[in-house]
């Protein structure tokens, strides 16, 4: 069965610090997709990134970067030079190729203090 | 612009009431989903629908039912609300049939309190 673990329940940093959010997944499928979503205080989940299981290239988008490692079944998310607007709950999610269900982790609440 | 809307942001109901949560998407997506979000548990799937009049149970369907009479609308029904159904309810849609590589688009959520 597919499973996603976000062991960090809450993280608090001071503005401009770098922060990494961990995500570990389990799946028996060889084809699967990993996602990160951001949930700001307004409540609506916002899609950030998708990675498929055949593409282990790391991705950078501005201050955001993602490290996908199949060997450790991890898909970690790093925010460089954090800002107050980064404060949100972040969810990692897994979708298998033959399963309509997307499995979410419990989420990590990030607070960035000025 | 992609849009998923939910009928209410906040709702307060009494135990035993029948509750309808409505979700509408304007993107012509085949798939629609209902989740509930509770602290420490993340999002848990209640039901999803991959086509009009089609539905599949998720992880926690007990106490809920759904209706999808039109492609754009997916309703979640609490037949007899109970206090343990107090939660945030999130609706989502996804394009592409069985293309599970596509991201889901979420509505703003409905925070339901059952007294």
């Amino acid at each position: 069965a597919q499973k996603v673990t976000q062991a960090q329940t809450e993280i608090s940093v001071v503005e401009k610090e770098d922060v990494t959010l961990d995500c570990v997944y389990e799946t028996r499928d060889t084809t699967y997709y990993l996602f990160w979503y951001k949930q700001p205080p307004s409540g609506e989940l916002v899609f950030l990134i998708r990675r498929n299981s055949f593409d282990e290239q790391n991705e950078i988008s501005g201050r955001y970067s993602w490290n996908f490692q199949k060997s450790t079944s991890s898909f970690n998310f790093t925010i460089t030079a954090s800002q107050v607007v980064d404060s949100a709950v972040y969810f990692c999610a897994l979708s298998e190729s033959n399963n309509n269900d997307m499995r979410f982790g419990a989420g990590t609440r990030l607070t960035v203090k000025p | 612009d992609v849009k998923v809307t939910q009928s209410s942001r906040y709702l307060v109901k009494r135990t035993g009431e029948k509750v309808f949560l409505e979700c509408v998407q304007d993107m012509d997506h085949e798939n629609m989903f209902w989740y509930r979000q509770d602290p420490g548990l993340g999002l848990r799937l209640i039901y999803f629908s991959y086509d009009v009049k089609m539905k599949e149970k998720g992880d926690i369907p007990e106490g809920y039912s759904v209706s999808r009479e039109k492609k754009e609308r997916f309703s979640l029904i609490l037949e007899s609300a109970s206090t343990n159904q107090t939660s945030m309810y999130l609706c989502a849609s996804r394009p592409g049939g069985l293309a599970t590589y596509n991201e889901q688009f979420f509505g703003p959520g409905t925070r339901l309190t059952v007294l």
Side-chain angles (χ1 to χ4, degrees), chain A residues 68-86:
Chain A
F68 175 29
Q69 292 197 340
K70 284 177 79 169
S71 60
T72 55
S73 297
S74 65
F75 185 43
N76 297 337
F77 173 28
T78 297
I79 302 175
T80 303
S82 59
Q83 299 176 2
V84 172
V85 293
D86 295 327

Side-chain angles (χ1 to χ4, degrees), chain A residues 32-35 47 50-52 95-97 102, chain B residues 94-96 98-104:
Chain A
Y32 53 89
Y33 312 96
L34 295 162
F35 302 79
F47 166 74
R50 167 186 51 243
R51 258 294 171 265
N52 74 56
S95 179
E96 295 173 333
S97 62
M102 180 178 284
Chain B
R94 192 194 77 213
L98 288 175
T100 58
Y101 53 79
N102 287 326
E103 70 268 26
Q104 295 185 10

